[in-house]
Amino acid sequence: MSEPVARPRTERFISARLIPLLLCLLTAFGAGGVAVFGVAPEERRERQWQAATPCPTAAPVDVRADCLTTLHGVIERLETHRRSRGYDLRLHFRDSKPVKWLDVEYEADAYFAVGDRIAVTWWRGEAMRITNRQHTTDLLSVPRPVDVAVITTLAILIINGLLIVKLGNSRRRGKPIGSGPTEPDGLAFLRPVAATAAWTVPMAGLRPSPVIAEPVAAVCTLAVLWLTLLAWRKSGRTEPVEPRPLPEGEDVFLRAHFLEDTPYNPHLMGTHIVLGAGPMAVVPHGGPGRLAAKQIPAGRLTVQGVRGPTASEEYVSSHWYVADLLDGNVPVRLTAAPADLLLLVQEMERAKSGNTNPPSTPPGTTPPPNDTATPTA
């Protein structure tokens, strides 16, 4: 069998634990900050606009004031105005008072008509709202920071989540599995990223007041940091899979399949491998019974190595591994979950050596890691 190629310990630590940890913290504080405090300066402007009050009656008319100024006018003409995004409804005012024209959403044409007397609310030099007796509509210049906050939060979550997945997959792709403790697994950090998404996305969309948002964010952030600590511990090195005995006189069906079309796997029909009471065989079902079974010439197969899937084997489950075999001189690949693949490899080694007693880990076999093993501290 081929010798495992181990990466330097520092490289494994950085790519599989340290970088995912930093991405996880960036996600928690980046998405949380955007969800709670918004996107400046749009968020500040939105809050100031919502908090603005009408100008005092005795104050001179100043449309550029921080308070709300209301000016009146009469609609003289309506027309459809084409824009790059579609159409708007343009309102022209008699005598160009309070302004020559204003654009509103095209759907508002049902609420405005020629001759309507309207009130235009101004704030900091911009027309923010227009009102008649039937309808009030915000103009297109009104800031919409909620959309920006939601999009920014989702972008932080998705980008960092995909980077963590890519680091986890690249760690495994094509790498031989060592006989010692397994490499760290940065995919454990996806759980705190998912927890961050669970509270930041609703927070960014609802935009509650700071009185509500800040305490909720503090509690949720502490929970995410706790999950991050658990992920850090889980991403450490774990012990390899321990061999498991087969029950005597019983068939055991394992989810596994060969990746090549062979006489014992014609047309890639196999979904499971059965072993135990009878010879090892490929079956297109999970039992019971050996209907349509095709016996595997286990004594003829030579185990070359066990590794993670390569980039060209994307159809292999992300948590499965691949055993490279030789059927005579023909390369054959077998894929299964780590514990199942180890058992199958052991049975093939035992059949090849002619030993009828189930051995412990065969000499030279490089067992795959146990994804469910209890992590060491």
Side-chain angles (χ1 to χ4, degrees), residues 24-25 28-29 191-196 198-199 215-231:
C24 186
L25 295 176
F29 290 102
R191 181 172 294 179
V193 170
T196 302
W199 74 269
V216 171
V219 173
C220 293
T221 301
L222 288 176
V224 169
L225 291 178
W226 178 71
L227 291 175
T228 303
L229 177 61
L230 294 182

Side-chain angles (χ1 to χ4, degrees), residues 119-243:
V120 179
T121 301
W122 294 78
W123 179 67
R124 294 184 178 178
E126 290 191 73
M128 305 294 288
R129 182 175 292 157
I130 184 169
T131 306
N132 63 6
R133 291 183 178 180
Q134 300 177 347
H135 183 68
T136 298
T137 183
D138 289 333
L139 300 175
L140 300 180
S141 59
V142 175
R144 302 182 186 277
V146 171
D147 298 338
V148 179
V150 171
I151 292 173
T152 305
T153 301
L154 287 173
I156 294 173
L157 292 165
I158 292 172
I159 291 174
N160 290 329
L162 290 177
L163 287 174
I164 291 174
V165 171
K166 183 174 179 61
L167 285 171
N169 287 338
S170 63
R171 178 188 65 85
R172 296 175 59 247
R173 291 212 178 274
K175 297 295 182 183
I177 308 305
S179 58
T182 63
E183 290 187 6
D185 187 1
L187 294 178
F189 289 100
L190 286 179
R191 181 172 294 179
V193 170
T196 302
W199 74 269
T200 56
V201 174
M203 183 77 72
L206 296 175
R207 309 303 299 128
S209 65
V211 177
I212 298 175
E214 292 178 4
V216 171
V219 173
C220 293
T221 301
L222 288 176
V224 169
L225 291 178
W226 178 71
L227 291 175
T228 303
L229 177 61
L230 294 182
W232 174 262
R233 297 183 63 184
K234 187 176 181 179
S235 66
R237 300 164 70 84
T238 59
E239 295 303 320
V241 178
E242 293 296 332

Side-chain angles (χ1 to χ4, degrees), residues 106-117:
Y106 183 74
E107 292 75 11
D109 63 343
Y111 302 104
F112 296 99
V114 175
D116 282 354
R117 182 172 176 79

Side-chain angles (χ1 to χ4, degrees), residues 253-257 271-273 286 317 320 334-337 340-341 344:
F253 290 82
L254 305 178
R255 283 191 60 206
H257 56 269
T271 60
H272 291 71
I273 291 179
S317 173
W320 284 19
L334 174 64
T335 181
D340 295 340
L341 190 59
L344 293 171

Side-chain angles (χ1 to χ4, degrees), residues 337-350:
D340 295 340
L341 190 59
L342 174 59
L343 181 58
L344 293 171
V345 166
Q346 287 179 342
E347 289 298 303
M348 290 178 186
E349 292 279 359
R350 184 168 66 91

